[in-house]
Amino acid sequence: ICLKNGLQNRLGRFATMMEAKKAKTSSSASTSVVFDADDHSHRRYNPLLDEWVLVAPHRMKRPWKGQVEPPFDFSDIPLHDPKNGLCPGVTRSSGKTNPHYTSTYVFTNDFPSLSDDLPQPTKEQSARNDLMKLSGVSGECRVMCFHPHTNLTLPLMTVEEVKSVIGVWSEQLLDLGKRFKWVQIFENKGAAMGCSNPHPHCQIWASNHLPNVATKKDKTQREYFEKHGSQMLVDYAKMELKDDKRIVLENDDWIVVVPWWALWPYETMILPRKRHILRLCDVTDNERTSLAEIMKGLLTRYDNLFETSFPYSMGWHGAPTGDTDDDDVRHWQLHAIYYPPLLRSASVKKFMVGYEMHAEGQRDLTAEQATRKLKEVSDVHYFQAQDEK
């Protein structure tokens, strides 16, 4: 009996030792895996919007059985469409007829979200209670056609034509900025981003209030300036130039970078390379030329990535306008943001739903991976290359 009990005790201690060794080995194995940002999930902070983004690069390996976008063919788009309300000489649905313009053309939106003659609510209507607030608005909405030809997009236009577009953006900013606090220049390109009209155009909305995103950026950039004594995005450009891992294109005046905190798959930001610039209308003529060159280069690479007319939503952000004192907004730095939805191919886009809507933004490849892919493609537009053949 004693021998039996002793054997059982020794076997029990041996089993306990083996379990402990197994647990230790398992723990060591799990901790020996070195973090790799290109493969392991992590979060990145966006200081401009004071938000975090979840990065899960391994999700690019999952199979896709969801929605696919219809194919795009430049040859399907006519040079002039007499039924398209943005074409020269065409009468729009409002009954107004476009002139036979030969370059850019700007007109007041026929169905504006903002106008300068809207009735304003009374104090009683505005301040109902802390949970149900209401505010009146005033503003102006304009549409700007880039070119008289419907079958052209910015990457297929000449540098001089793109420069003309930038010039008119500056003029519009100066004009509307005299009366309104914020002027938002934005372009929605492609059906995947809600644009059903293929004619090259953008919109310009001016408002007497600072919109939500502009309010966030004003706050974060101001706080950074007060803490560091320098502009956030000026410092950020210096960091990216030094790191050189997320720069897609650069010239003497501008850089195109996939931001460290990018949310959309191939999101990019255009930033002044060195100079502090408050607004687009402060850009010099030489800088306007180099901006046109780098814009055309970026958009060509976008199109070449999946050999399609790459959809995106683009917007310019600069210091507030109106009666704003420039010295009070010196924390701002001019920048443009491109949000393209395509993820894996010309037919598969990223959907911002579920976790992205209810928790926080999530992307499926790292900023560095996106940069490498954009840098690998040709700087000669695939459609023009086909024509040359």
Side-chain angles (χ1 to χ4, degrees), residues 31 68 85 87 94 96 103 106 112 157 159 179 187-188 199 205 237-238 241 255-256 283 313 324 333 349 389:
T31 56
V68 295
C87 283
S94 63
K96 299 176 181 178
S103 180
V106 180
M157 292 165 59
V159 170
R179 294 184 288 132
E187 177 195 4
N188 292 328
H199 195 89
W205 291 17
K238 293 177 183 177
L241 283 165
I255 64 172
V256 175
V283 171
S313 183
T324 304
Q333 173 71 323
K349 71 175 184 178
K389 292 178 182 179

Coordinates of all heavy atoms in Angstrom, one line a residue, residues 31 68 85 87 94 96 103 106 112 157 159 179 187-188 199 205 237-238 241 255-256 283 313 324 333 349 389:
T31 N 4.7 34.6 -26.9 CA 5.4 35.9 -26.7 C 6.6 36.0 -27.6 O 7.2 37.1 -27.8 CB 5.9 36.0 -25.3 OG1 6.7 34.9 -24.9 CG2 4.7 36.1 -24.3
V68 N -19.8 43.8 -56.6 CA -18.7 44.2 -57.5 C -19.2 45.3 -58.3 O -20.4 45.4 -58.6 CB -18.3 43.0 -58.4 CG1 -17.6 41.9 -57.5 CG2 -19.4 42.5 -59.2
G85 N -26.5 67.7 -68.9 CA -26.8 69.1 -68.4 C -25.5 69.9 -68.1 O -25.6 71.1 -67.8
C87 N -22.8 69.8 -70.2 CA -22.1 70.0 -71.5 C -22.3 71.4 -72.0 O -23.4 72.0 -71.8 CB -22.5 69.0 -72.5 SG -21.8 67.4 -72.3
S94 N -33.2 73.0 -65.1 CA -33.8 74.3 -64.5 C -34.3 75.2 -65.6 O -35.0 76.2 -65.3 CB -32.7 75.0 -63.7 OG -31.6 75.4 -64.5
K96 N -32.2 76.7 -67.6 CA -31.0 77.6 -68.0 C -30.1 76.9 -69.0 O -29.9 75.7 -68.8 CB -30.3 78.0 -66.7 CG -31.2 78.8 -65.7 CD -30.4 79.1 -64.5 CE -31.3 79.9 -63.5 NZ -30.6 80.2 -62.2
S103 N -13.2 76.3 -71.8 CA -12.3 75.9 -70.8 C -13.1 75.5 -69.5 O -13.8 74.5 -69.6 CB -11.4 77.1 -70.5 OG -10.4 76.8 -69.4
V106 N -18.3 77.9 -64.4 CA -18.8 77.8 -63.0 C -20.3 78.4 -63.1 O -20.5 79.5 -63.7 CB -18.0 78.6 -62.1 CG1 -18.6 78.6 -60.6 CG2 -16.5 78.1 -62.0
P112 N -29.5 73.9 -54.7 CA -28.5 74.0 -53.7 C -29.0 73.6 -52.3 O -30.2 73.7 -52.0 CB -28.2 75.5 -53.7 CG -29.5 76.1 -54.1 CD -30.1 75.2 -55.1
M157 N -6.2 65.2 -68.8 CA -6.0 66.6 -69.2 C -4.6 67.0 -69.2 O -3.7 66.3 -68.6 CB -6.8 67.6 -68.3 CG -8.4 67.4 -68.4 SD -9.3 68.1 -67.1 CE -8.9 69.8 -67.2
V159 N -1.2 69.4 -68.3 CA -0.8 70.1 -67.0 C -1.4 71.5 -67.0 O -1.9 72.0 -66.0 CB 0.7 70.1 -66.9 CG1 1.1 71.1 -65.8 CG2 1.2 68.7 -66.6
R179 N -17.4 86.6 -48.2 CA -18.8 86.6 -47.6 C -19.0 85.5 -46.6 O -19.9 85.6 -45.7 CB -19.8 86.6 -48.6 CG -19.9 87.8 -49.5 CD -21.0 87.8 -50.5 NE -20.8 86.8 -51.6 CZ -21.7 85.9 -51.9 NH1 -22.8 85.8 -51.3 NH2 -21.4 85.1 -52.9
E187 N -14.6 67.2 -55.0 CA -14.9 66.5 -56.2 C -15.3 65.1 -55.9 O -14.5 64.4 -55.3 CB -13.7 66.5 -57.2 CG -14.0 65.7 -58.5 CD -12.8 65.4 -59.3 OE1 -11.7 65.7 -58.8 OE2 -12.9 64.8 -60.4
N188 N -16.5 64.7 -56.3 CA -16.9 63.3 -56.2 C -16.8 62.7 -57.6 O -17.5 63.1 -58.5 CB -18.3 63.1 -55.7 CG -18.5 63.5 -54.2 OD1 -17.5 63.4 -53.5 ND2 -19.6 64.1 -53.9
H199 N -19.3 63.8 -66.7 CA -18.7 65.1 -67.2 C -17.7 65.5 -66.1 O -18.1 65.6 -64.9 CB -19.7 66.1 -67.5 CG -19.1 67.3 -68.3 ND1 -19.1 67.3 -69.7 CD2 -18.5 68.4 -67.9 CE1 -18.5 68.4 -70.1 NE2 -18.2 69.1 -69.0
W205 N -19.1 74.6 -52.1 CA -20.1 75.0 -51.2 C -19.5 76.0 -50.2 O -18.5 75.7 -49.5 CB -20.7 73.8 -50.4 CG -21.5 72.9 -51.3 CD1 -21.6 72.8 -52.6 CD2 -22.4 71.9 -50.8 NE1 -22.4 71.8 -53.0 CE2 -23.0 71.2 -51.9 CE3 -22.8 71.5 -49.5 CZ2 -23.9 70.2 -51.8 CZ3 -23.7 70.4 -49.4 CH2 -24.3 69.8 -50.5
A237 N 4.9 67.0 -42.5 CA 5.5 66.8 -43.9 C 7.0 66.6 -43.7 O 7.6 65.8 -44.4 CB 5.3 68.1 -44.7
K238 N 7.6 67.3 -42.7 CA 9.1 67.1 -42.4 C 9.3 65.6 -42.0 O 10.3 65.0 -42.4 CB 9.5 68.0 -41.3 CG 9.5 69.5 -41.7 CD 9.9 70.4 -40.6 CE 9.9 71.9 -40.9 NZ 10.2 72.7 -39.8
L241 N 9.0 63.2 -45.0 CA 10.2 63.4 -45.9 C 11.4 62.6 -45.3 O 12.2 62.0 -46.0 CB 10.5 64.8 -46.1 CG 9.6 65.6 -47.1 CD1 9.7 67.1 -47.0 CD2 9.8 65.1 -48.5
I255 N 4.3 67.4 -51.7 CA 4.4 65.9 -51.6 C 3.0 65.3 -51.6 O 2.1 65.9 -51.2 CB 5.2 65.6 -50.2 CG1 4.4 66.0 -49.0 CG2 6.6 66.1 -50.2 CD1 4.9 65.5 -47.7
V256 N 3.0 64.1 -52.1 CA 1.8 63.2 -52.0 C 2.1 62.1 -51.0 O 3.1 61.3 -51.3 CB 1.3 62.7 -53.3 CG1 0.2 61.7 -53.2 CG2 1.0 63.8 -54.3
V283 N -1.2 80.3 -53.0 CA -0.2 79.5 -53.8 C 0.3 80.4 -55.0 O -0.5 81.1 -55.6 CB -0.9 78.2 -54.4 CG1 0.0 77.6 -55.4 CG2 -1.2 77.3 -53.3
S313 N -13.4 60.7 -53.6 CA -13.9 61.9 -53.1 C -12.8 62.8 -52.7 O -12.0 62.3 -51.8 CB -14.9 61.8 -52.0 OG -15.5 63.0 -51.6
T324 N -12.3 86.4 -40.8 CA -11.3 85.7 -40.0 C -9.9 86.5 -40.1 O -9.5 86.8 -41.2 CB -11.0 84.3 -40.4 OG1 -12.3 83.6 -40.4 CG2 -10.0 83.6 -39.5
Q333 N -2.6 74.6 -42.0 CA -1.8 74.4 -43.2 C -2.6 73.8 -44.3 O -3.4 72.9 -44.1 CB -0.6 73.4 -42.9 CG 0.2 72.9 -44.0 CD 1.1 74.0 -44.6 OE1 0.8 75.2 -44.7 NE2 2.3 73.6 -45.0
K349 N -14.9 47.3 -53.9 CA -14.6 48.5 -53.1 C -14.8 48.3 -51.6 O -15.4 47.3 -51.2 CB -15.5 49.7 -53.5 CG -17.0 49.5 -53.1 CD -17.8 50.8 -53.5 CE -19.2 50.7 -53.0 NZ -20.0 51.9 -53.3
K389 N -0.4 52.7 -78.9 CA -0.1 51.4 -79.5 C -1.0 51.3 -80.8 O -0.6 50.6 -81.7 CB -0.4 50.3 -78.5 CG 0.6 50.2 -77.4 CD 0.2 49.1 -76.4 CE 1.2 49.0 -75.2 NZ 0.8 47.9 -74.3

